[in-house]
Amino acid sequence: MAGEEAPLLQTEDDSEHAEKMKILGPTYSVRHMKIMEDIVSDRIVCTMDQFRRKAAVGEVVDMAEWARWHVYDTITHLIYGKPVGMTIEGRDIDELVAQWHKVFTLGGLVVTLPWLIHPIISVKWLGLMPSKSHKFGSGHIMNVHEQLFKQRLHKPELAKDGNMFDSLLHTTHTDGSQFTLDEAENQCFILIVGSQDTSAAFISTFLRLILTHDQAYTRLMEEIEALNLSGRLSHPVTYEETEHMPYFAACVKEALRMSPSVSMTLPRYAPEGGMCLGDTWVPETVEVAANPYVIHRNRTIYGEDAEEFRPER
């Protein structure tokens, strides 16, 4: 889905996976994200301002669509120092979202059936491996983000302490060698395409479930209002402040349980020598996978009402 370089999600070799986790982990840590929280807040303010303008004239908005635009602007702002501008202009700029959706089917097959699909798309003359030479799908997005990467590279004034772009540029391998520009660009691309729809899917699901369940909505609003009236909430609310909102946290977890952002199986191979999963022995190289959508509806764990949205559980 992202070209020749296998992202962390598709890295099969244990040592290679461990190395990628070690060198990339700090960039994606909660501590690092908290340093950049002002950027996230800026994007929330911008999106809410747009909603207020539209509400003032009675205009209906598609929340699923705006969630995608909001996430795309937030991620590009975090990486490149400025948003691509979807929520500002109220449209899918450069068809970045639409083009990504065109490769969903292939992407799902690559992730769930790598043993079958990867050998096929790796045949160069078939032209199936995503490449900047393509003018559609992943290739189109690669080209747009290559331009964004180059623009940011030549605009150091957009730098912010702890931002993702500079963090990736200064990342080193375990042998001490510096990340190349190509490696940094690839990680920026993977971060964007890997987070845009998963994050937007959660936002849409959370809003839908809260707005269609009166009891949960009422209780959540009571928690928010109580904290707001006591002066313990900022605008927008900060990450640390949400740590004192237990019902909000319960709603988030229940929304993710009901509709996980990645609801397909993410297969893994048993390691060399095999392994035990509970009471079952799994020989080496055997593929193991679990679907979170199914697991999250296990009535033995979640009760007979596992199909219902109930944050109190």
Side-chain angles (χ1 to χ4, degrees):
M1 291 189 296
E4 299 286 346
E5 173 73 16
L8 189 63
L9 176 68
Q10 294 172 259
T11 301
E12 297 176 8
D13 183 84
D14 285 343
S15 59
E16 183 184 352
H17 187 277
E19 180 180 0
K20 287 184 177 180
M21 283 290 290
K22 185 175 182 179
I23 63 180
L24 294 173
T27 298
Y28 304 135
S29 68
V30 172
R31 176 181 172 277
H32 193 200
M33 290 303 299
K34 288 170 72 174
I35 295 174
M36 300 181 290
E37 190 168 15
D38 286 348
I39 292 176
V40 178
S41 295
D42 287 346
R43 302 289 18 110
I44 292 173
V45 169
C46 178
T47 300
M48 293 308 298
D49 284 347
Q50 290 284 54
F51 285 166
R52 290 188 184 94
R53 293 189 188 99
K54 293 181 180 300
V57 296
E59 184 177 342
V60 176
V61 300
D62 182 335
M63 286 302 299
E65 188 172 57
W66 274 85
R68 295 189 193 100
W69 297 345
H70 171 77
V71 171
Y72 220 110
D73 275 357
T74 301
I75 297 297
T76 51
H77 196 166
L78 286 169
I79 295 175
Y80 300 122
K82 66 176 183 178
V84 73
M86 293 188 185
T87 53
I88 297 170
E89 296 191 22
R91 64 184 181 89
D92 178 13
I93 292 178
D94 288 325
E95 293 191 333
L96 288 168
V97 174
Q99 289 294 331
W100 180 241
H101 286 179
K102 289 182 179 180
V103 299
F104 266 12
T105 300
L106 177 60
L109 290 172
V110 168
V111 172
T112 56
L113 299 171
W115 55 271
L116 174 64
I117 302 301
H118 196 267
I120 297 174
I121 67 174
S122 296
V123 179
K124 291 188 176 182
W125 63 267
L126 289 176
L128 296 175
M129 180 68 75
S131 166
K132 291 178 183 177
S133 64
H134 297 165
K135 304 303 178 185
F136 57 88
S138 293
H140 170 78
I141 302 170
M142 286 178 179
N143 284 308
V144 173
H145 282 286
E146 180 181 39
Q147 296 305 311
L148 292 172
F149 185 89
K150 289 179 177 178
Q151 290 171 16
R152 172 60 183 81
L153 194 61
H154 295 98
K155 289 187 176 180
E157 67 272 14
L158 293 176
K160 179 180 175 63
D161 290 341
N163 75 78
M164 288 185 162
F165 185 91
D166 288 326
S167 178
L168 288 170
L169 281 184
H170 293 95
T171 294
T172 57
H173 294 283
T174 52
D175 63 4
S177 61
Q178 195 78 20
F179 248 36
T180 66
L181 288 179
D182 284 344
E183 286 176 313
E185 181 184 340
N186 183 266
Q187 288 302 324
C188 287
F189 173 76
I190 290 171
L191 173 59
I192 288 170
V193 299
S195 62
Q196 55 163 310
D197 251 48
T198 51
S199 301
F202 164 71
I203 293 172
S204 299
T205 296
F206 180 84
L207 291 174
R208 174 179 60 82
L209 290 170
I210 292 298
L211 294 174
T212 55
H213 291 79
D214 292 342
Q215 183 175 337
Y217 174 83
T218 299
R219 184 169 173 182
L220 177 59
M221 291 304 297
E222 287 174 349
E223 179 177 75
I224 293 172
E225 287 299 323
L227 290 170
N228 190 42
L229 289 173
S230 65
R232 288 184 285 170
L233 290 185
S234 305
H235 299 281
V237 177
T238 67
Y239 175 81
E240 286 190 357
E241 289 166 350
T242 64
E243 294 181 319
H244 302 286
M245 302 172 67
Y247 193 72
F248 170 75
C251 289
V252 168
K253 292 176 182 177
E254 183 73 342
L256 287 170
R257 183 189 72 83
M258 291 292 295
S259 185
S261 294
V262 180
S263 56
M264 60 187 178
T265 60
L266 298 176
R268 294 292 180 267
Y269 296 116
E272 183 178 351
M275 64 182 294
C276 273
L277 284 178
D279 297 327
T280 303
W281 173 254
V282 183
E284 63 181 75
T285 74
V286 170
E287 187 179 287
V288 180
N291 189 310
Y293 191 91
V294 176
I295 294 172
H296 292 175
R297 282 163 172 71
N298 187 322
R299 295 187 179 183
T300 302
I301 299 172
Y302 297 104
E304 291 301 312
D305 63 348
E307 293 284 348
E308 298 177 16
F309 177 73
R310 186 171 64 83
E312 292 77 9
R313 79 175 71 251

